[in-house]
Amino acid sequence: MRTYLNQKDEEVHLPDEVAELTREHASEVADAGELLTLASALALCPATAGTIVVEIGTYRGGTACFIGRTLRVLGRPLPVLSIDAFDLLSVEANNVQGDYAEYHNNVRKYGLEGQCMVLTGLSHSTVDLVPDRIGVLVVDGSHSYETVRGDIHDYAPKVVPGGVVFLDDYSPTFPGVVRAVDEFFGDSDEFEILHKTRNVLARRVG
């Protein structure tokens, strides 16, 4: 199967099993189309020694499990590190609260204990614990401008050359996400936009 990156007129070829995984893991927080775009990022990222995938905002671990399973199908079982505050924060408007127990239940369900791991805390407080070896960075935590801007500024510099940033909820419903993404990537010499719909893919080139 193929996916199309609309900003670079580029196609990404994916195994047919990935389409099955997108349907299996589609949910109210990530539909099959979004997961297919994420799978493209996983297929494009460098898979050299020490490279990891970092997910900011994991909710119940569904997307983390999709990432882990997709990486295995792609023959590149990179470690997946999820960062979430879980119940350390109160529920915000238009932002779901994660469930620590459900995250671990899902990871166990798919036998991903050796690949998927979680850091509990606010993303700005865990940045020093994350190595500068990110192959794919998923930014999908709090949707306020300040938090998204902080997540991009803190973690994007940790993305390796050729690595990809996946940003969710780029839409008028979340103006803070749109503003933060446009400000950081609009004039960037280090990242090129590969795809822009409700999701944005940006690849590090420098």
Side-chain angles (χ1 to χ4, degrees):
M1 64 172 299
R2 297 176 295 180
T3 60
Y4 179 68
L5 305 181
N6 63 11
Q7 299 296 300
K8 298 297 289 185
D9 194 23
E10 182 178 339
E11 288 184 336
V12 179
H13 295 260
L14 298 167
D16 291 339
E17 296 95 314
V18 172
E20 299 173 12
L21 291 177
T22 62
R23 290 189 290 270
E24 182 179 346
H25 285 273
S27 69
E28 72 277 8
V29 296
D31 63 30
E34 294 173 50
L35 294 178
L36 194 58
T37 303
L38 177 54
S40 298
L42 299 172
L44 290 170
C45 80
T48 53
T51 302
I52 65 172
V53 175
V54 172
E55 175 196 35
I56 300 175
T58 195
Y59 187 38
R60 296 177 176 174
T63 301
C65 291
F66 170 79
I67 292 170
R69 297 178 75 194
T70 298
L71 287 167
R72 290 185 176 183
V73 169
L74 295 172
R76 41 175 60 193
L78 304 175
V80 181
L81 175 63
S82 298
I83 301 167
D84 201 296
F86 295 111
D87 60 357
L88 297 178
L89 288 177
S90 57
V91 178
E92 300 175 349
N94 293 323
N95 199 55
V96 294
Q97 187 175 58
D99 188 313
Y100 182 82
E102 278 301 302
Y103 169 89
H104 286 286
N105 286 339
N106 281 316
V107 167
R108 284 192 295 269
K109 174 182 176 181
Y110 296 109
L112 294 167
E113 297 95 328
Q115 187 178 0
C116 293
M117 63 206 82
V118 66
L119 268 177
T120 301
L122 301 173
S123 53
H124 68 80
S125 68
T126 60
V127 63
D128 290 339
L129 302 174
V130 177
D132 297 343
R133 295 293 305 163
I134 300 177
V136 173
L137 171 65
V138 180
V139 179
D140 190 21
S142 174
H143 292 68
S144 71
Y145 165 74
E146 292 79 10
T147 301
V148 177
R149 179 182 181 277
D151 287 343
I152 297 172
H153 278 263
D154 286 345
Y155 288 88
K158 292 176 175 286
V159 174
V160 299
V164 181
V165 182
F166 173 93
L167 302 119
D168 194 22
D169 295 318
Y170 182 86
S171 76
T173 305
F174 301 100
V177 175
V178 174
R179 179 184 171 193
V181 170
D182 288 349
E183 285 182 359
F184 186 89
F185 295 104
D187 298 317
S188 175
D189 294 326
E190 295 189 351
F191 288 87
E192 60 176 351
I193 299 295
L194 302 178
H195 186 78
K196 184 183 287 186
T197 52
R198 182 180 172 85
N199 310 117
V200 175
L201 295 186
R203 178 165 55 197
R204 185 162 193 177
V205 294

